[in-house]
Amino acid sequence: MAGTGPGWVVSLVCDDNVTMCGVRLEGGPPGRLLQGSPGGPPEARGGAVVTVCMDVSQVERRLAAGLLVCPRCGGRLGPWGHARTRRLRGWVGLLSRQRPRRTRCAGCGGTHVLLPVNALVRRADEVVVIGAGVVLAAAGWGHRRIAARLGRAADRVRGWVRRARGSAEALRLGFTELLVAVDPDPVVPDPGAGALAGAVAVLAAAALATVRRWGAAVSGLSVWELAAAVTSGGLLTPPGPAVSINTSCPW
């Protein structure tokens, strides 16, 4: 899970068969859940992408202090250059440049990219823009109409919508797991409005439940930034049998 306070971090849970919730596995195979501190969320660890806040200086300070941990083995992450520079397009076409930090684990030697929470893997638009397109698609809009509203190429929007529709059931199940994990008395939305609409409804419900659970620590995130965080930027990656969902309380 991500947050606006100092020090939050999200690690991808790698499990191709089971939808997971959590962050920081303290032992056992990747994807196994453990209970964290008393009253805290379940914890899990595994994967190769770590989602971090957009404050580059804060990320660098935590990296230099050894406070970021490997999502595979829990070892200390250290600087290891940068990933390629990318341009990310926001609202009204505003471009920002990102050069995500690459890290290497002192324990297992694995390398990991620190992905800002406003970005998705292999997507050139901010997640809030993509999310807006997905919401409109769930409401019945066609991709050309969405493209005109968002000021994007029709082919690009069609790609978002196709991938979201292809992953809709996995997303619905994954965010239902998140909702149940963070809300002691969850109200799961009725999935009867269609696969994509059902997925969007559960995603929104899970976001609201997470804010209720963790309060100000996550209140600065939009629904879609939260979705990017708990999927480690993989919200629109190729669909599998389940989507790995991952949360932690900021510390």
Side-chain angles (χ1 to χ4, degrees), residues 77-149:
L77 293 179
W80 195 253
H82 293 81
R84 66 178 179 83
T85 299
R86 59 186 295 185
R87 291 183 177 182
L88 201 62
R89 190 178 297 273
W91 290 112
V92 298
L94 293 176
L95 285 172
S96 63
R97 292 172 62 88
Q98 291 184 344
R99 194 183 182 200
R101 167 63 86 174
R102 189 180 293 277
T103 63
R104 186 176 184 183
C105 176
C108 68
T111 60
H112 312 282
V113 172
L114 304 184
L115 187 69
V117 73
N118 65 332
L120 294 179
V121 175
R122 300 188 184 92
R123 297 291 166 177
D125 296 273
E126 290 189 3
V127 66
V128 291
V129 178
I130 295 173
V134 171
V135 169
L136 292 174
W141 286 38
H143 71 275
R144 290 185 178 84
R145 186 182 177 193
I146 297 170
R149 169 63 65 89

Side-chain angles (χ1 to χ4, degrees), residues 4-245:
T4 56
W8 58 263
V9 61
V10 180
S11 305
L12 175 66
V13 175
C14 284
D15 191 308
D16 291 334
N17 302 309
V18 182
T19 301
M20 294 293 183
C21 297
V23 70
R24 292 182 152 188
L25 182 66
E26 299 301 337
R32 176 184 169 191
L33 286 178
L34 295 180
Q35 182 62 42
S37 57
E43 300 184 342
R45 184 178 285 151
V49 173
V50 178
T51 305
V52 294
C53 68
M54 292 180 283
D55 186 338
V56 175
S57 62
Q58 182 184 125
V59 172
E60 290 293 331
R61 287 195 300 270
R62 291 187 57 77
L63 190 60
L67 298 177
L68 300 185
V69 297
C70 175
R72 287 177 177 156
C73 73
R76 174 179 172 176
L77 293 179
W80 195 253
H82 293 81
R84 66 178 179 83
T85 299
R86 59 186 295 185
R87 291 183 177 182
L88 201 62
R89 190 178 297 273
W91 290 112
V92 298
L94 293 176
L95 285 172
S96 63
R97 292 172 62 88
Q98 291 184 344
R99 194 183 182 200
R101 167 63 86 174
R102 189 180 293 277
T103 63
R104 186 176 184 183
C105 176
C108 68
T111 60
H112 312 282
V113 172
L114 304 184
L115 187 69
V117 73
N118 65 332
L120 294 179
V121 175
R122 300 188 184 92
R123 297 291 166 177
D125 296 273
E126 290 189 3
V127 66
V128 291
V129 178
I130 295 173
V134 171
V135 169
L136 292 174
W141 286 38
H143 71 275
R144 290 185 178 84
R145 186 182 177 193
I146 297 170
R149 169 63 65 89
L150 298 180
R152 296 299 193 271
D155 286 348
R156 175 174 295 191
V157 173
R158 182 172 56 190
W160 304 345
V161 174
R162 281 181 174 176
R163 183 56 53 81
R165 291 193 188 281
S167 302
E169 181 61 11
L171 289 170
R172 187 185 68 80
L173 293 174
F175 280 96
T176 298
E177 289 281 347
L178 174 60
L179 174 60
V180 171
V182 300
D183 192 331
D185 188 21
V187 177
V188 180
D190 184 356
L196 186 57
V200 169
V202 172
L203 188 154
L208 291 174
T210 302
V211 172
R212 287 194 298 268
R213 176 71 179 271
W214 301 122
V218 298
S219 62
L221 289 178
S222 72
V223 168
W224 292 98
E225 287 169 340
L226 187 150
V230 300
T231 58
S232 291
L235 188 66
L236 293 186
T237 53
V243 173
S244 293
I245 301 293

